[in-house]
Amino acid sequence: MATQTTTAGKTASGSIILPVIACFAIGFGLIFMSGLVQAETLHDAAHDVRHATGFPCH
Amino acid sequence: MFSRILTSGLIAGAATGLIAALLQLWFVQPVLLHAELYESGQLIHNGAQAVSAHQPTGPFEWTRNLLSVLFSMMVYAGYGLMLTALMSLRGTVTPRQGLLWGVAGFVTMQLAPAFGLAPEVPGVAAADVTQRALWWLGTALATGIAIWLIAFGRGWLAWGAAVVLILAPHVIGAPQPDAYAGTVPPELSAEFAGRALGVGLMAWVLLGLISAWVLQRDPAHSGLPQAA
């Protein structure tokens, strides 16, 4: 039982590396765009959230 | 697998972002609007006359606040995706463990950066924004790796590296302004920082809980041990 679980775990972790990296990257992209990009329109729209969530804003 | 992590992260993040936005509008926004009265010069701190601490901050601004809701959902969707991606690496994470993941996320993305760059109320002096953003990102990365090493590392080498990673950004020091030129009363700045961090902790704990719960409902994750 324990061996089977380990094997299943290894197979799963091997096959999820790419999806994990992809989702992590998309998540980071969202954070970067909504929190850190200084383009004026984006900055103005996200202004209050940036301040409230502690991003460096101005 | 990709779409499972994606949908779990987006659902958990959007739900958290919505609640975080309501908390922000209730607890943080009044302080922010109050500070903007000083930033814009409508009120002057330490001027000739004492200024009442109780100021009307105007009517509810729908466009501005709906944009805040939208961006709050985007920010937490981003955090949700990163969190569910990392949770997937660990196999099954129970909602109870998810609470701890949320606290770890809060320390990584908000508390550790705030140790050097406290949440800024509008109208305070600060160093160059690019330098602060770089320090912010570096601090979040180092702290995140450190917490992972503390939680899942084995042995003193991993834990020692974690201590070094947690301390390094603060030993280096965050970029600070050359001169203090803030126009906002320190009372408001302090209240803002406390409120921002408090709402952040509430939101992150929720995010960890919901992320783990949504992922656990996914048979591909919760089924792993049972299927074997």
Side-chain angles (χ1 to χ4, degrees), chain B residues 124-223:
Chain B
V124 300
D128 174 63
V129 69
T130 309
Q131 286 184 15
R132 281 184 292 141
L134 285 174
W135 185 89
W136 189 95
L137 281 170
T139 303
L141 181 68
T143 309
I145 294 172
I147 293 180
W148 186 277
L149 286 174
I150 290 169
F152 306 119
R154 299 258 166 87
W156 289 102
L157 192 64
W159 298 325
V163 171
V164 171
L165 280 171
I166 282 188
L167 289 178
H170 309 292
V171 172
I172 294 168
Q176 298 295 336
D178 293 329
Y180 295 125
T183 52
V184 177
E187 293 89 336
L188 275 179
S189 291
E191 187 182 11
F192 184 85
R195 288 281 169 99
L197 287 174
V199 165
L201 178 59
M202 293 184 224
W204 266 102
V205 167
L206 262 180
L207 183 66
L209 177 74
I210 302 174
S211 296
W213 183 66
V214 177
L215 265 180
Q216 201 189 36
R217 285 168 59 86
D218 180 346
H221 282 82
S222 60

Side-chain angles (χ1 to χ4, degrees), chain A residues 1 4-5 8-9 12-13 15-28 30-36 38 42 44-49 51-58, chain B residues 1-2 5-6 10 24 28-29 32 36 39 64 67-68 71-72 74-79 81-82 85-86 88-89 110 117 119-122 129 132-133 136-137 192 196 224-225 228:
Chain A
M1 183 68 184
Q4 281 175 331
T5 309
S13 64
S15 64
I16 66 167
I17 291 298
L18 273 180
V20 162
I21 293 174
C23 287
F24 194 88
I26 296 171
F28 180 77
L30 274 174
I31 300 295
F32 193 78
M33 199 172 65
S34 48
L36 294 169
Q38 285 298 314
L42 210 51
D44 292 349
H47 176 268
D48 296 355
V49 172
H51 276 282
T53 40
F55 288 99
C57 191
H58 299 281
Chain B
M1 181 58 76
F2 172 75
I5 302 175
L6 190 74
L10 287 178
Q24 180 199 321
V28 185
Q29 196 71 7
L32 190 149
E36 281 186 345
E39 185 191 25
R64 177 177 183 169
L67 277 171
S68 287
F71 274 93
S72 177
M74 273 178 64
V75 165
Y76 280 98
Y79 286 148
L81 281 173
M82 292 165 89
L86 292 175
S88 301
L89 283 178
Q110 289 202 17
L117 297 171
E120 296 162 21
V121 79
V129 69
R132 281 184 292 141
W136 189 95
L137 281 170
F192 184 85
L224 259 183

